[in-house]
Amino acid sequence: MGDLFSKFDPLIEQRETLLQGGVTDPFNLVMERVESPTVAICNGKRTILLGTYNYMGMTFDPDVIAAGKQALEDFGSGTTGSRVLNGTYVGHKAVEQALKDFYAMDHAMVFSTGYQANLGVISTMAGKDDYIILDIDSHASIYDGCALGNAQIVPFRHNDVEALDKRLKRLPPEAGKLVVLEGVYSMLGDIAPLKEMVAVSKAAGAMVLVDEAHSMGFIGEHGRGVAEAQGVIDEVDFIIGTFSKSVGTVGGFCVSNHPKFEILRLVCRPYVFTASLPPSVVATAATSIGKLMDSADKRTHLWENSKRLHAGLRQLGFTLGTDEPQSAIIAVIMPDLETGAAMWEALLREGLYVNLARPPATPAGMTLLRCSLCALHSEDQVGEILGMFAAAGRATGCIS
Ligand SMILES: Cc1ncc(COP(=O)(O)O)c(C=O)c1O
């Protein structure tokens, strides 16, 4: 009998070699206690968190926690059902209303995760004989949405407007087309030229979906994302988002102004064939989204943090994913996986948690230390973080 696990042997070997070198497993860290959005206890040590997606620091907001507790008391721990059967409670309608208010859009549909939102909307909207034109660096959930459906897939070079335009012009003019973009690309923290991309997509008669997972709450005047910041939100057909980042809980959504949008509730399999979010989760999400509408000061502080960390890391001699800070993600490029893992561990020993990212999640085979800032990181913490990067960088030979 063939062992179906054999295909993973190269990965098993790579992992074992790494761990034999005495490195802590970077993909198996346990948070023993979480004290706040920016500090946790890991291996018994106070650790600054710089590798979460808690951009707006909502996880410990007292109003958010109170709403979750109340919903748990009033509605129980779970719905035990799909949104289209017994799984729609008043809380699910309330969080959809909160999203419509936040984005100033007509429709909002909540999924159990952002992953499922992409899976569902992409696979349902683009059918047989349609085309999905997507940035080659798209998130796994976008690729999996393509794989679940049966449209033709046309990738184009990352953030390349001309490449997108060329691909679109080669497709049959009458065919259905869905252009799939992200506001912020989460590996390097770079943003998309949405203004130009939406313009060429619309000129080619395509519908546009933008995944704003990493920009919600932070980018744009009202925190609606890169499409808002670049003045094209009204031309975007679908915005996909998640509750697992700035909102501070779990869940996913799609908002749209399309008049026929509500039909998706009946035809979108990742919406229909799964249980809905627990009442406590939708209550925390609705409260958090309401507060994000009024968070201009936090947005300003987060931009300051991002600029300060970017400049500081550059000054120390690290190579970064972007020339200028474009989002709350700052990626430090490592020469290889071994050095990346050693640096990751040295940072953890210093008391700093960042994300180690490697292929296939990263573009161009890169190993990255991804730093994601929080609006609640204090100026002092950013200073501490830079000190830890300096010490770990020198200890591992990454900088001199
Ligand atoms: C761009 C993007 N889209 C979607 C998702 C999925 O979000 P969720 O955690 O809600 O499944 C992620 C998560 O990392 C993401 O980075």
Side-chain angles (χ1 to χ4, degrees):
M1 187 189 74
D3 181 356
L4 297 175
F5 278 99
S6 305
K7 55 181 158 300
F8 306 121
D9 285 349
L11 185 59
I12 291 171
E13 204 182 306
Q14 187 198 46
R15 188 168 176 273
E16 281 172 357
T17 312
L18 196 67
L19 297 183
Q20 273 160 13
V23 179
T24 311
D25 185 351
F27 305 109
N28 207 8
L29 181 83
V30 177
M31 307 260 166
E32 287 138 23
R33 203 147 45 84
V34 181
E35 293 189 345
S36 73
T38 61
V39 174
I41 305 298
C42 305
N43 302 323
K45 188 175 164 68
R46 174 189 176 268
T47 305
I48 297 184
L49 299 173
L50 190 66
T52 76
Y53 296 130
N54 203 351
Y55 300 121
M56 298 297 279
M58 299 306 287
T59 50
F60 280 79
D61 182 279
D63 297 331
V64 168
I65 289 177
K69 280 185 179 164
Q70 193 62 52
L72 196 57
E73 292 281 345
D74 293 349
F75 293 94
S77 57
T79 68
T80 74
S82 159
R83 284 297 303 274
V84 294
L85 296 173
N86 59 309
T88 296
Y89 289 12
V90 284
H92 297 84
K93 300 310 278 182
V95 75
E96 286 174 345
Q97 187 58 50
L99 284 165
K100 287 191 264 182
D101 295 343
F102 183 86
Y103 283 99
M105 290 218 178
D106 295 339
H107 305 281
M109 189 168 154
V110 166
F111 291 76
S112 298
T113 63
Y115 177 87
Q116 281 161 289
N118 270 331
L119 216 57
V121 176
I122 294 171
S123 64
T124 310
M125 288 313 303
K128 193 172 166 298
D129 303 326
D130 296 331
Y131 291 85
I132 297 170
I133 308 93
L134 83 172
D135 188 295
I136 199 153
D137 287 352
S138 292
H139 187 258
S141 56
I142 292 174
Y143 276 104
D144 292 358
C146 294
L148 185 66
N150 43 21
Q152 302 280 333
I153 312 303
V154 183
F156 65 90
R157 212 171 81 148
H158 177 55
N159 270 352
D160 188 333
V161 180
E162 216 174 291
L164 167 62
D165 193 32
K166 268 193 197 147
R167 297 286 181 288
L168 283 166
K169 283 183 174 146
R170 266 189 230 142
L171 300 177
E174 68 291 349
K177 303 176 199 82
L178 179 66
V179 172
V180 179
L181 307 167
E182 292 177 38
V184 172
Y185 285 85
S186 65
M187 287 298 138
L188 295 177
D190 54 333
I191 60 166
L194 287 186
K195 194 174 162 73
E196 295 79 9
M197 287 188 154
V198 169
V200 299
S201 303
K202 291 287 154 179
M207 293 180 93
V208 179
L209 177 153
V210 181
D211 180 334
E212 297 270 19
H214 292 273
S215 48
M216 181 188 184
F218 171 41
I219 296 182
E221 189 189 346
H222 302 92
R224 292 173 188 151
V226 178
E228 180 190 30
Q230 297 187 11
V232 289
I233 196 162
D234 293 337
E235 289 148 68
V236 170
D237 299 278
F238 307 99
I239 289 181
I240 296 283
T242 175
F243 297 160
S244 73
K245 308 194 193 304
S246 288
V247 178
T249 176
V250 66
F253 63 86
C254 180
V255 291
S256 174
N257 278 329
H258 198 288
K260 295 180 186 168
F261 183 78
E262 294 294 325
I263 196 64
L264 282 180
R265 292 189 200 271
L266 297 182
V267 293
C268 183
R269 295 169 69 88
Y271 177 84
V272 175
F273 293 102
T274 195
S276 64
L277 288 167
S280 54
V281 167
V282 286
T284 55
T287 307
S288 178
I289 293 163
K291 294 190 85 165
L292 288 178
M293 287 178 79
D294 190 24
S295 294
D297 290 352
K298 274 183 163 184
R299 288 191 260 284
T300 306
H301 182 68
L302 186 46
W303 272 122
E304 281 161 6
N305 279 349
S306 179
K307 286 177 192 157
R308 191 147 177 258
L309 184 67
H310 190 281
L313 288 172
R314 241 186 142 162
Q315 211 167 14
L316 285 171
F318 289 101
T319 309
L320 305 182
T322 55
D323 289 341
E324 299 295 328
Q326 297 185 15
S327 67
I329 300 169
I330 293 168
V332 183
I333 301 174
M334 291 285 107
D336 50 56
L337 181 58
E338 288 68 29
T339 316
M343 179 71 188
W344 178 86
E345 193 176 32
L347 285 172
L348 194 62
R349 261 191 262 112
E350 290 287 327
L352 181 66
Y353 174 76
V354 299
N355 273 322
L356 178 67
R358 57 156 197 205
T362 53
M366 282 191 255
T367 298
L368 304 171
L369 293 177
R370 286 165 63 239
C371 307
S372 29
L373 285 149
C374 174
L376 299 189
H377 279 125
S378 65
E379 208 179 314
D380 283 352
Q381 280 179 322
V382 178
E384 258 188 277
I385 289 166
L386 286 168
M388 290 171 182
F389 259 97
R394 285 184 192 121
T396 54
C398 285
I399 54 168
S400 47

